[in-house]
Amino acid sequence: MFELRTACTLVLFAGAAALLPPTAKGLREFGSWALRPARLPFAWQAMQDATETGDAREAFARGQQIMQLVPSWSDGHSAMVYRYVLTHDDSENQSLVAEAAERRVYAGLARLEEARQYAGRREYGLLFAAANLPDIACIHFPGLAERLQQRQPGGAAAIADRYYDEAARLFPSPAVREQQLWYAPTLAASLLACGAKPSALQILDRAIARAPEIRDQELATEWAQRLREVVAKLRGDNTVILDKVFADPRFELLQPFLRD
């Protein structure tokens, strides 16, 4: 499993590079990253060990070590933050669980903010991840929504709107909200590579639910259908036909997780 996830990491990083034309700086970054193979697997294994023992803080710290090795891997930053924030607390005290989850949400958002300085054209993805994180965390942790509401009027929705507005400011387009839907498979692939399948499925489910927001209804229907096929396969339906998914470059980074 470790070898598979390491391989998936390489696939995701290479895929991200392939989707965007490399710059001279990007090539230097990749060259620098490629010279660290001895460090990356050990850092990845350390994060896996911390995750399996249920130590959220240690897993997050180990994840940050990986991100220091590949600071421009914005999708990786998002995946690490999601794993950290959505780590379940075994405490039976719901109030304490919600309080701890609130701290992780704001720590995760702060980490995503820090990652933006290295993201370049991929900053859009970090803003998408930050916008969705609080609401998904509220689904996981009862009482968290109320705590976020007390801390900030509007709660999770207000946090999401702040990041959506920032994305619209930095990437002005009348279809900016629609464009965010195209990023869902990329974030889901990164989450799958980090072993966070439930979070990946939630991201995809939310994209399906928001598909009707696409103004071109034919495109909205087609997009939602492809997403449903991906979700069905990830949930164990081996009868689903994925020919159209595999032919769609928007799902390229998800393909390693959809093959038998």
Side-chain angles (χ1 to χ4, degrees):
M1 181 62 70
F2 167 62
E3 290 80 3
L4 173 62
R5 288 176 181 167
T6 301
C8 287
T9 303
L10 298 174
V11 169
L12 286 166
F13 193 84
L19 289 172
L20 293 171
T23 62
K25 179 180 179 182
L27 289 173
R28 286 195 298 271
E29 282 184 354
F30 184 81
S32 176
W33 175 83
L35 291 174
R36 303 176 225 185
R39 295 174 62 193
L40 185 58
F42 286 110
W44 193 274
Q45 183 64 63
M47 188 199 71
Q48 291 298 116
D49 292 343
T51 300
E52 291 172 4
T53 61
D55 189 333
R57 291 185 178 181
E58 178 67 13
F60 190 47
R62 296 298 185 181
Q64 289 190 83
Q65 289 180 352
I66 295 175
M67 292 302 96
Q68 289 171 1
L69 294 176
V70 280
S72 62
W73 184 26
S74 57
D75 301 331
H77 282 279
S78 299
M80 299 296 178
V81 165
Y82 269 65
R83 276 197 79 160
Y84 167 66
V85 172
L86 301 180
T87 298
H88 278 276
D89 191 324
D90 293 330
S91 172
E92 296 180 0
N93 188 317
Q94 180 176 308
S95 178
L96 293 178
V97 171
E99 180 181 354
E102 180 185 18
R103 289 196 298 270
R104 291 199 301 275
V105 164
Y106 282 104
L109 291 174
R111 188 68 193 90
L112 292 173
E113 286 285 355
E114 292 174 9
R116 288 174 60 188
Q117 64 181 305
Y118 302 107
R121 290 171 293 172
R122 298 184 181 91
E123 185 177 4
Y124 195 95
L126 292 170
L127 293 169
F128 175 90
N132 284 274
L133 179 60
D135 194 43
I136 288 180
C138 287
I139 296 173
H140 281 253
F141 304 106
L144 175 58
E146 291 76 13
R147 293 190 66 90
L148 294 178
Q149 180 72 40
Q150 292 171 4
R151 181 161 177 169
Q152 174 174 332
I159 296 173
D161 284 342
R162 185 172 78 242
Y163 285 105
Y164 286 139
D165 290 345
E166 179 70 355
R169 183 184 69 82
L170 294 175
F171 306 93
S173 166
V176 66
R177 292 275 179 136
E178 293 181 8
Q179 292 171 6
Q180 291 167 341
L181 295 176
W182 311 140
Y183 181 71
T186 299
L187 178 55
S190 294
L191 289 166
L192 288 168
C194 292
K197 187 175 182 178
S199 300
L201 288 169
Q202 285 181 322
I203 286 291
L204 295 171
D205 285 337
R206 287 169 66 83
I208 292 171
R210 291 185 57 198
E213 298 176 19
I214 299 174
R215 290 168 294 178
D216 183 327
Q217 288 304 297
E218 183 177 353
L219 180 59
T221 300
E222 180 268 340
W223 177 244
Q225 181 57 32
R226 297 290 83 75
L227 289 170
R228 290 191 188 98
E229 291 164 0
V230 168
V231 168
K233 177 65 175 181
L234 291 174
R235 288 195 165 118
D237 183 356
N238 292 321
T239 66
V240 64
I241 298 174
L242 297 175
D243 292 352
K244 292 183 178 179
V245 171
F246 288 133
D248 191 328
R250 294 173 297 185
F251 294 96
E252 183 176 0
L253 296 182
L254 274 174
Q255 290 181 14
F257 307 99
L258 300 174
R259 300 187 185 279
D260 294 325

